Each structure stands twice: as C-alpha cells, then as structure tokens.
Amino acid sequence: MKPLVLIVDDNADDRFLFREAITKSGFPAEVLFLHDGREARDYLAGEGSFTDRGKHRLPLLVITDVRMPRMTGIELLSWTRQHSELKRLPLILMSTSKVPADVNSAYAYHASSYVVKPTHFTGLIAFFKAVSAYWLEFGGAADASLT
Amino acid sequence: MQKRRLVLVVENDEADGLCIEQAFSRHSEAQCVRLRTAEDALSHLGIDAQPGSTAPRALPDLILLDLVLPGSSGTELLRRLRQNEMTKHIPVVALTSSRKTTDREAAYQWGVTSYLLKPARAVDLSRMIDAVVNYWSFCEIPESPAALTGPLRR
C-alpha cells in the first residue's frame, strides 16, 4: 500500500496546482486534500466524518498551509505535538511568504520544516520531488526499519 | 538548490564522513563543515563554556548529526544545543545507523527535527545527502534570537 500524505490548504487554486504538480512529479504516495486545519485535526483525531480508521488511516506526512480559517497551520502543528500518537508526525508548513515570527514559532513547536510556496509551477514540481526523496525514500523508511 | 546553506556535519566514521563531504562538494550552493565529536562541535559553536555564552562564529543553518559518537553522544550534543539560547532554534537532522528505538526516542525528546537512517551502501548515503541538501534548499530556517532585533525583539 502506498503511504498516505495529507495536504491541507483552504485555497482551491493552490490545491489544483499541487494536484497537477504532484502528478507531474511522479509522487509515489496517495494524497488526500483537506480544506483547513480543523478538518485536518478531525481527520487526525478520527473524529467527525473520519471515525473509521480502516478507511481514514494515519498519514506518513502532513503538508499544511499556514494561514487558514477556523484553524491555522501553526495551531494544527501545536495540537499534534500535544498528542502522543501524533507528536512525531512529520509536518511541513507552507506559506505564501516568509514571516520570521511564523518560521520561529513553527520550529519552536517542532515543525519538520517551513517552506515558502514556490511561485513557479516547475518549482512546485521540484519541491514535490524533493519531498518524495527526503521523506518517502529516506525519512519514511526510518520507522519501518527500527527495532 | 535555491538558497546557500551552511551545514554542520558531526560524523566520526571516516568512510561515512568522506562520503558525506564528497556529496556536499557536488552542491556548490551548500557549504559543509565536518567535525568528528560532540566536543568539537560545542567548541566550534562557541557553546562549550558557560551556558548563555555567545556564539562567536556564523551559526549553521542546519546540523546533520550522527548519534553514535566517541565521547559525548550525539543525543547529549542535541540536548546542549537545545538548552542554549543561541543554538536551540537550529534544525537538527539525525543521520544515524542506530536502529534502536531508544536512540530515536531520546533524539525526539530533545527536539530532533527529523530522523534519517543511514543507508549501508556509500552510493545510497551519497544519494541521501543529495536529497537532504535539495530538500532543505526549499526550507526557511529560523533566525537566531540575536538576529531578531527591532520590533520582533521584546
């Protein structure tokens, strides 16, 4: 079974571009798009419409927008870090711009990284290739190989 | 590679260290400084004296840390980095051949940013370093407390 990656973004245009870039990058994971931090929190908690863990398995990686209604990416990050099952879940924050205070908050809450969304489509494809190599090929293997 | 990165590599194993340095040499945008022990790293960063002492050197953007080192362990180094105001923000990637869950638990306890298992073959380790350099070129790096001057400093 392919690993699952959650992508959380309230912007429909960005979700469309991510979907296209993921396809073009040959991203070797199943990708589920969610619309804001609250929906992602429900998914990760197995609440609301996501109670069936058989259907809604935990992801290997979460990539989330920072600025979203209802629950921001940093609030989602902070929430995951308070739950033993999720506190080591790799979580990448993506933003349209670099806000130094957000970058510092992100790493203070143990984000896996903070990325400014590439402005060009080719950059976005390159980003998903880089995520694939780092997290899916090398990083994702870590949990499975540990004894 | 979009941004030039200064990467501190703490790796005692000579074969692995050479492989990592060679891999970095292919990436002109990333500069690698390799040290062999936790003590060398603390000294290099200027945090081997009293807690709170200022780091005199340019701080690295990223640290690649082998957890199994002679003398103090990589985990002990990580603890010291996290307890120092000048270095606690620096992303640290554990790059280790340890497959013990206890090592991983300790690394996460002290705020490791990600945990990579070192491949057995040099060719794969080299590819892993390519992946690390390429991935982190997309990532923003937190600014050191000293860099946060003006309105951000309270």
Side-chain angles (χ1 to χ4, degrees):
Chain A
M1 189 189 291
K2 282 183 177 179
L4 176 67
V5 173
L6 292 189
I7 297 185
V8 189
D9 201 311
D10 62 311
N11 186 304
D13 290 344
D14 281 351
R15 290 197 302 272
F16 174 79
L17 286 173
F18 289 166
R19 205 184 298 275
E20 293 291 305
I22 282 166
T23 303
K24 289 221 168 13
S25 72
F27 201 62
E30 181 186 336
V31 178
L32 177 67
F33 287 88
L34 298 173
H35 300 78
D36 60 39
R38 182 76 65 82
E39 190 179 24
R41 188 196 67 183
D42 285 351
Y43 185 96
L44 294 170
E47 291 175 358
S49 45
F50 305 111
T51 49
D52 183 352
R53 265 286 178 257
K55 273 171 66 181
H56 306 294
R57 60 199 168 110
L58 285 175
L60 186 113
L61 173 68
V62 176
I63 302 173
T64 178
D65 191 14
V66 175
R67 309 258 172 221
M68 293 181 291
R70 301 209 297 166
M71 189 178 207
T72 69
I74 290 178
E75 286 167 347
L76 176 66
L77 167 69
S78 158
W79 177 83
T80 63
R81 293 325 185 223
Q82 293 164 34
H83 290 76
S84 57
E85 195 184 16
L86 302 169
K87 67 181 179 186
R88 287 160 198 174
L89 174 66
L91 193 149
I92 301 170
L93 288 161
M94 277 193 106
S95 178
T96 47
S97 62
K98 180 185 175 183
V99 180
D102 280 355
V103 179
N104 282 23
S105 293
Y107 286 99
Y109 282 116
H110 304 298
S112 303
S113 21
Y114 184 106
V115 175
V116 173
K117 288 176 189 171
T119 47
H120 297 290
F121 189 60
T122 49
L124 202 55
I125 295 170
F127 170 69
F128 282 109
K129 284 183 177 173
V131 168
S132 170
Y134 187 87
W135 287 108
L136 304 178
E137 185 177 357
F138 291 113
D143 282 339
S145 312
L146 286 165
T147 53
Chain B
M1 190 83 195
Q2 296 177 326
K3 303 178 184 72
R4 184 177 171 81
R5 296 290 184 221
L6 177 59
V7 184
L8 178 64
V9 177
V10 188
E11 171 61 76
N12 180 62
D13 184 278
E14 282 307 317
D16 287 348
L18 195 61
C19 177
I20 291 168
E21 285 178 308
Q22 284 180 341
F24 269 99
S25 72
R26 291 195 299 271
H27 298 275
S28 59
E29 309 90 329
Q31 184 190 349
C32 150
V33 174
R34 181 190 160 212
L35 300 168
R36 288 169 172 76
T37 66
E39 288 76 10
D40 287 351
L42 288 169
S43 176
H44 177 83
L45 293 167
I47 58 172
D48 54 342
Q50 295 301 311
S53 64
T54 53
R57 292 172 191 272
L59 290 169
D61 296 309
L62 180 69
I63 297 175
L64 296 188
L65 178 60
D66 191 357
L67 296 182
V68 182
L69 297 168
S72 298
S73 68
T75 312
E76 170 63 12
L77 173 57
L78 180 60
R79 184 183 72 79
R80 294 284 301 275
L81 294 170
R82 290 301 182 235
Q83 289 180 336
N84 187 286
E85 282 299 316
M86 297 301 295
T87 57
K88 66 180 186 183
H89 63 283
I90 301 173
V92 176
V93 176
L95 184 60
T96 180
S97 52
S98 171
R99 285 175 155 70
K100 294 180 192 162
T101 48
T102 48
D103 282 343
R104 191 182 63 143
E105 295 295 312
Y108 275 108
Q109 184 189 337
W110 289 109
V112 77
T113 312
S114 51
Y115 192 100
L116 301 179
L117 281 177
K118 211 188 278 177
R121 295 164 61 214
V123 63
D124 293 328
L125 177 58
S126 184
R127 286 179 50 244
M128 176 185 267
I129 297 301
D130 289 344
V132 168
V133 172
N134 190 34
Y135 173 75
W136 280 93
S137 74
F138 285 95
C139 303
E140 299 298 331
I141 300 296
E143 294 181 18
S144 73
L148 289 176
T149 56
L152 284 170
R153 184 140 204 177
R154 291 178 184 169

